[in-house]
Amino acid sequence: MKQGLSLRVSQHLALTPQLQQSIRLLQLSTLELELEVDQVLADNPFLEREPESLPSDGLPTLPTDAPLPRDEAPAESNIYSQADTGESPSDHDGSDSLSWDGDGSLPLAPDDSEWGGEARQYGSPAGDDNEREAADTTAPAQSLASHLRAQTVGLRLNPQDRAALWFLIESLNEDGYLEDSLSALAAEFASDNLEQSEQLLHHFNMALALLQSLEPTGVGARSLAECLTLQLKALARERSLAAPATVVTAAICICRQALPALARNDLAGLMKVCAAGNATVRQAMALIARLEPKPGRCFFSVEQNLVLPDVIVTQSPGSGKLTVRLNTEVMPKLRLHDLYANILKNQRSKGKQAGQLAALLQHLQEARWFIKNIEQRFATILRVSSAIVQRQKSFFTHGALAMRPLVLREIATELGLHESTISRVTSGKYMSTPLGTFELKYFFGSGLATDSGGSASSTAVRALIKEFVAAENPLKPLSDQQLSLMLKEQGIACARRTVAKYREGLRIATVSLRKTL
């Protein structure tokens, strides 16, 4: 084997710790960002939250008619474009130095020195209620369990039955159903003691009867059929029931024996099972449709599904001008801890060895990095959101039918960023608009060819399909092929398979399930 020396030139991407953190923060959702901030605050003593009483600067906004040229884009965009395109940022070469004084991506405030001072924060003037248009949170509503326990206060029960009733209440799921069987619940306590298991089962049976007599009607059911049956029996006991007794009887029969046929709208099968006429079965079906399949639905916690938008879009009543601004509710207000930073500065000025202070200086540097990266994250979200609103102005005026085709590459080219950066920004980020709250990805969609040579957004096509189905004759619902032909009449070439895919995405049932017999 012959040995030799050779020269080879190659490129590789070197990500500094700050750059890695910046990319990671960009792709986090609001909830994930809050968890990340809490973790950093617990680990880094030089970082603290800004007190709520301190006034903050004006919230940055971007009017949609303002140009967004690449040359005038904020410098923080470079950190994402370089990370994704393979360019090594030169302003991070000295990031390991203990005298690091910013990365140059954002201008320093007069008091934003190496040792402390508040970082520039976004916020609205104190007391300005017009600037706080995010969704207001209310006090948590009463839970299903507490509502049921309150109804048991006046019941005369011995301690064993009361304990059994409360145990069943705690065993209900959020829909109000009892998922586990009574024998299984009794076996958990009795183990191998057969006599004790029978006693527990007796108490559970009595407790279940009491539970199913409480409000809301249908709670404590072990299946959908039992839930609907309990509600129908309660209706039958009411003297003011509008439906005849024969209709209620037929409805109970359907719930007990023919729920699959009801789901298929099999009128002939239901008439056979219930031994009732056409009119009676139709009335029974209408009665069942008015029942509540999830008794615990009204006790769902709204806060569990609450979405806080990252960006808020407002429209001027007169001119219709759109303004995009950040939501202060989701923006962490952080600053460097002045006391600790000054102590560290004094220790270093007294001639302490750098080795003894290296760990603390590293924490201080990481705190500054984190604050800068948080600012860069929201600045990038604001720029991308403003560019989206510029491209989709017609959506805010005419709705989803006016949505135009848009892909990530268009926004990336306009802002001078990489497509992967736009993908990170639009994932898990939400925009509050006069038409509702949407994920940023909602405004992107492929295009379908039109007869005029242009293209129609897939979002607009979905909205058009939804309108067609809403206006259809219930006796003769539109098939996928008919919907495809109707779109073709509008000048949009959309195959039947594509229509079926869009219909399923909109959760629209098939023709057989939409048909009213």
Side-chain angles (χ1 to χ4, degrees):
M1 178 181 296
K2 184 178 180 181
Q3 296 182 347
L5 296 176
S6 61
L7 294 176
R8 184 176 59 183
V9 179
S10 63
Q11 280 188 333
H12 66 280
L13 178 63
L15 295 178
T16 63
Q18 183 191 7
L19 191 56
Q20 295 177 18
Q21 183 187 71
S22 181
I23 295 174
R24 188 179 74 255
L25 292 178
L26 188 64
Q27 64 188 7
L28 296 181
S29 64
T30 300
L31 178 58
E32 293 170 341
L33 177 64
E34 185 64 26
L35 296 176
E36 180 76 12
V37 170
D38 291 340
Q39 183 64 40
V40 173
L41 288 172
D43 295 340
N44 197 321
F46 291 97
L47 200 62
E48 66 174 354
R49 291 187 184 273
E50 180 182 338
E52 295 294 334
S53 59
L54 291 180
S56 54
D57 298 333
L59 182 67
T61 60
L62 286 181
T64 56
D65 55 355
L68 293 171
R70 294 183 54 171
D71 296 338
E72 299 180 6
E76 94 283 341
S77 62
N78 297 334
I79 196 171
Y80 302 119
S81 59
Q82 291 167 350
D84 293 315
T85 56
E87 299 178 9
S88 178
S90 59
D91 53 341
H92 293 282
D93 294 341
S95 61
D96 295 333
S97 172
L98 296 179
S99 61
W100 179 82
D101 193 27
D103 59 356
S105 60
L106 287 174
L108 296 178
D111 58 349
D112 198 7
S113 62
E114 177 185 359
W115 299 106
E118 294 181 11
R120 178 175 58 87
Q121 294 297 331
Y122 301 137
S124 59
D128 190 357
D129 296 334
N130 295 329
E131 295 296 327
R132 303 187 61 181
E133 298 180 2
D136 295 331
T137 57
T138 58
Q142 186 182 29
S143 65
L144 175 62
S146 60
H147 176 71
L148 295 173
R149 285 196 299 267
Q151 299 178 58
T152 65
V153 174
L155 298 179
R156 293 185 177 181
L157 302 175
N158 57 50
Q160 293 82 3
D161 290 336
R162 184 176 298 275
L165 178 57
W166 281 41
F167 178 76
L168 293 185
I169 291 176
E170 296 298 333
S171 301
L172 298 175
N173 62 15
E174 62 179 9
D175 294 330
Y177 285 84
L178 187 63
E179 296 178 336
D180 299 324
S181 63
L182 298 181
S183 57
L185 294 175
E188 293 181 2
F189 292 94
S191 299
D192 297 332
N193 191 328
L194 183 59
E195 182 178 357
Q196 185 181 5
S197 177
E198 291 178 353
Q199 292 179 356
L200 286 173
L201 186 59
H202 173 70
H203 288 297
F204 281 151
N205 282 320
M206 293 186 61
L208 181 61
L210 289 173
L211 175 60
Q212 293 181 348
S213 66
L214 302 178
E215 293 290 337
T217 308
V219 70
R222 288 155 291 183
S223 64
L224 176 61
E226 184 179 14
C227 177
L228 299 177
T229 302
L230 289 172
Q231 297 180 55
L232 289 170
K233 288 182 176 180
L235 290 176
R237 291 191 295 267
E238 295 180 3
R239 296 181 180 180
S240 60
L241 178 64
T246 54
V247 174
V248 178
T249 303
I252 293 176
C253 180
I254 292 174
C255 292
R256 287 179 173 176
Q257 305 179 30
L259 278 182
L262 177 63
R264 298 192 304 269
N265 279 338
D266 186 2
L267 184 60
L270 295 176
M271 293 171 57
K272 182 178 181 180
V273 170
C274 300
N278 186 299
T280 301
V281 171
R282 287 180 181 273
Q283 294 180 39
M285 295 171 64
L287 180 60
I288 295 174
R290 295 198 298 267
L291 301 179
E292 175 55 73
K294 297 180 179 180
R297 191 202 305 266
C298 58
F299 296 93
F300 283 175
S301 176
V302 178
E303 294 183 359
Q304 293 180 355
N305 300 322
L306 181 65
V307 173
L308 290 177
D310 300 84
V311 178
I312 299 176
V313 179
T314 55
Q315 190 171 18
S316 301
S319 62
K321 180 181 178 181
L322 298 170
T323 303
V324 185
R325 63 182 178 86
L326 295 172
N327 180 16
T328 56
E329 298 294 331
V330 300
M331 299 177 62
K333 297 178 176 59
L334 305 175
R335 68 175 185 180
L336 295 179
H337 200 297
D338 292 333
L339 178 61
Y340 293 160
N342 291 331
I343 292 176
L344 181 59
K345 179 180 179 180
N346 294 333
Q347 291 294 325
R348 189 179 184 188
S349 63
K350 292 179 181 179
K352 294 289 186 180
Q353 296 182 4
Q356 299 175 352
L357 304 178
L360 296 177
L361 289 171
Q362 181 64 25
H363 279 300
L364 177 60
Q365 186 182 53
E366 291 173 355
R368 292 180 56 83
W369 284 353
F370 191 75
I371 292 176
K372 295 295 183 183
N373 289 334
I374 290 290
E375 292 183 352
Q376 291 171 351
R377 176 186 186 273
F378 283 100
T380 304
I381 291 176
L382 180 61
R383 291 184 61 218
V384 172
S385 301
S386 299
I388 292 174
V389 173
Q390 282 186 7
R391 294 296 185 98
Q392 301 291 4
K393 282 184 178 179
S394 55
F395 165 79
F396 299 94
T397 305
H398 305 288
L401 289 175
M403 188 80 77
R404 57 167 294 183
L406 182 64
V407 293
L408 299 177
R409 183 172 58 255
E410 295 183 43
I411 302 297
T413 303
E414 180 178 353
L415 301 181
L417 302 176
H418 196 268
E419 287 185 47
S420 61
T421 299
I422 307 300
S423 178
R424 293 187 183 100
V425 171
T426 55
S427 297
K429 317 299 188 304
Y430 292 86
M431 177 187 293
S432 175
T433 72
L435 301 179
T437 301
F438 305 92
E439 188 177 9
L440 293 184
K441 280 190 176 297
Y442 172 78
F443 298 94
F444 294 85
S446 57
L448 298 176
T450 62
D451 294 342
S452 60
S455 59
S457 171
S458 58
T459 305
V461 174
R462 289 187 181 93
L464 198 56
I465 292 174
K466 191 174 182 180
E467 284 193 0
F468 288 157
V469 173
E472 70 183 1
N473 184 357
L475 300 177
K476 295 181 179 180
L478 300 172
S479 65
D480 294 340
Q481 182 62 35
Q482 291 174 320
L483 291 173
S484 177
L485 293 176
M486 294 176 68
L487 290 174
K488 189 174 182 180
E489 292 176 359
Q490 299 291 328
I492 302 174
C494 188
R496 183 192 62 81
R497 293 180 182 178
T498 306
V499 171
K501 181 180 70 173
Y502 290 167
R503 176 182 54 75
E504 292 173 357
L506 294 171
R507 296 185 178 181
I508 299 176
T510 58
V511 175
S512 59
L513 297 180
R514 300 202 312 269
K515 186 175 182 180
T516 301
L517 301 176

